[in-house]
Amino acid sequence: MSLITVGTMAFDAIETPFGKADKIIGGSATYVAYAASNFVKPVQQISIVGNDFPKEEMEELRSRGVHLDGVEVVPDKKSFFWSGRYHEDMNSRDTLVTDLNVLADFDPKVPDSFQGAEFLMLGNLMPKLQLNVIQELKQRPKLIVMDTMNFWMETAMNDLKIVLRYVDMLMVNDAEARQLTSEYSLVKAARAIMQMGPKYLIIKKGEHGALLFHGDDVFYAPALPLEDVFDPTGAGDTFAGGFMGHLAKTKDISFENMKTAIIVGSAMASFCVEKFGPTRLKEINKDDIDNRVQQFKDLVNFEIELV
Ligand code: AMP
């Protein structure tokens, strides 16, 4: 039950209506790994960092069963840096800075020990690099899932459309689904995306939950109504980590099991937003996760008799 995760390991600077953090750990692959390692070990990480990325963070990930053989450390360059500011509603944000730094020359390699993985999570990254990883694999995984964002649609749309042909599932938020297809209706956008390659699609809608599409089937999972959302950064990646972690653990990629996985992903994301960066993800244990999943079940559990 092996899972390869690919993406950024980064420093983030974040502004929300509740506070500001100047330089904290972030990156799509970091969040995916913290979330997925609760369900599957090893998590096989492919990424790149500079000499400034803290050794303690690498140790923390290792201690959770994240294998870092695929993480290149560049001695004389800085790690990827991203900075964003959230709007009052916390559902939308503006990117203020994207400094590629080490990412600009990244040529991802799949270590031999990672070959044969059954699940591949292509976290948010340059589409060309996501494709490189797929092409480096000697055996096609059972399920390839891909995330992306507006930044890559604006700078590398053609490459992005090529990768889409090779993946089983795309995970994006509602604004990204609309940007990718120029369709406002999410149902039309979903149909258009599934014609671009992926057979499955998840559209995340922040505090309004997530939709899973496959053919004519649609499943909706709510987000937990939380009293305080402190920092939504990484919620999408954490969702992806929980989703893939559950699928990799159960080795079942049926639509039915994806419904459970989407709830697990939503539960993990609900922890992520409670504190700045990945802080909260480092505090939780299996009981916390089980309780949160139960809260989700209670939230939507009702019976209805049609007469
Ligand atoms: P999310 O909030 O789930 O969209 O993910 C936020 C994380 O993605 C942050 O920790 C950033 O470091 C990382 N990130 C931001 N922009 C990019 C980008 N263009 N490519 C890859 N990762 C990014």
Side-chain angles (χ1 to χ4, degrees):
M1 53 178 189
S2 43
L3 167 67
I4 296 181
T5 61
V6 186
T8 48
M9 294 173 78
F11 285 114
D12 291 345
I14 297 158
E15 281 178 48
T16 78
F18 305 106
K20 213 171 154 188
D22 283 338
K23 195 182 181 190
I24 55 171
I25 296 294
S28 52
T30 311
Y31 284 103
V32 173
Y34 273 120
S37 60
N38 287 284
F39 307 94
V40 60
K41 290 185 202 320
V43 170
Q44 300 172 314
Q45 186 97 321
I46 297 181
S47 189
I48 188 164
V49 293
N51 57 358
D52 49 357
F53 201 81
K55 309 268 171 303
E56 308 80 62
E57 198 65 32
M58 303 282 244
E59 267 322 303
E60 180 81 47
L61 286 163
R62 267 192 206 104
S63 73
R64 286 156 196 270
V66 182
H67 285 190
L68 301 175
D69 311 14
V71 178
E72 190 183 333
V73 182
V74 185
D76 54 352
K77 282 209 175 135
K78 284 192 192 165
S79 300
F80 177 77
F81 174 77
W82 175 79
S83 150
R85 184 188 293 133
Y86 287 85
H87 301 170
E88 207 61 40
D89 68 1
M90 297 288 251
N91 265 334
S92 50
R93 70 184 177 203
D94 296 321
T95 288
L96 304 178
V97 182
T98 301
D99 282 339
L100 296 180
N101 298 327
V102 283
L103 207 61
D105 310 310
F106 188 29
D107 180 15
K109 294 274 170 269
V110 177
D112 281 345
S113 57
F114 289 12
Q115 291 291 350
E118 292 170 283
F119 292 85
L120 172 61
M121 178 66 222
L122 296 169
N124 191 14
L125 189 69
M126 253 170 231
K128 208 166 44 170
L129 302 185
Q130 292 176 313
L131 185 62
N132 283 0
V133 172
I134 298 177
Q135 289 171 336
E136 279 256 318
L137 292 174
K138 294 183 183 138
Q139 202 182 319
R140 195 186 196 279
K142 237 171 136 159
L143 190 76
I144 304 180
V145 177
M146 165 190 176
D147 185 7
T148 190
M149 77 186 282
N150 55 353
F151 183 81
W152 302 119
M153 292 181 204
E154 281 143 29
T155 59
M157 187 60 124
N158 285 344
D159 290 341
L160 179 52
K161 287 194 170 158
I162 295 173
V163 197
L164 278 173
R165 294 192 216 137
Y166 291 84
V167 304
D168 300 301
M169 174 184 277
L170 176 71
M171 259 182 205
V172 280
N173 67 32
D174 41 3
E176 290 156 354
R178 290 181 173 124
Q179 186 170 350
L180 184 57
T181 60
S182 307
E183 291 282 4
Y184 188 80
S185 150
L186 291 181
V187 175
K188 285 188 182 159
R191 208 173 294 136
I193 291 172
M194 288 188 287
Q195 276 166 6
M196 294 177 183
K199 296 183 292 294
Y200 297 88
L201 169 70
I202 288 180
I203 300 184
K204 299 166 286 179
K205 290 159 60 71
E207 66 171 324
H208 303 297
L211 291 161
L212 165 66
F213 294 89
H214 174 54
D216 291 330
D217 293 329
V218 191
F219 175 71
Y220 169 70
L224 202 64
L226 292 171
E227 211 163 302
D228 295 308
V229 172
F230 203 68
D231 169 23
T233 308
D237 310 312
T238 304
F239 172 93
F243 179 87
M244 285 302 261
H246 174 78
L247 292 185
K249 178 180 165 187
T250 52
K251 289 187 167 204
D252 172 358
I253 55 167
S254 65
F255 189 74
E256 275 315 296
N257 197 41
M258 284 185 188
K259 290 184 187 176
T260 310
I262 219 175
I263 300 289
V264 173
S266 304
M268 296 308 294
S270 76
F271 285 116
C272 177
V273 303
E274 289 178 341
K275 290 194 176 168
F276 263 120
T279 314
R280 188 76 181 110
L281 296 179
K282 297 183 199 175
E283 296 171 349
I284 53 173
N285 59 31
K286 184 168 184 319
D287 284 347
D288 297 318
I289 297 170
D290 289 349
N291 287 338
R292 198 51 69 94
V293 171
Q294 185 58 45
Q295 275 180 274
F296 268 86
K297 281 177 83 177
D298 296 341
L299 182 70
V300 287
N301 194 10
F302 64 89
E303 293 198 4
I304 189 162
E305 243 177 71
L306 295 176
V307 282

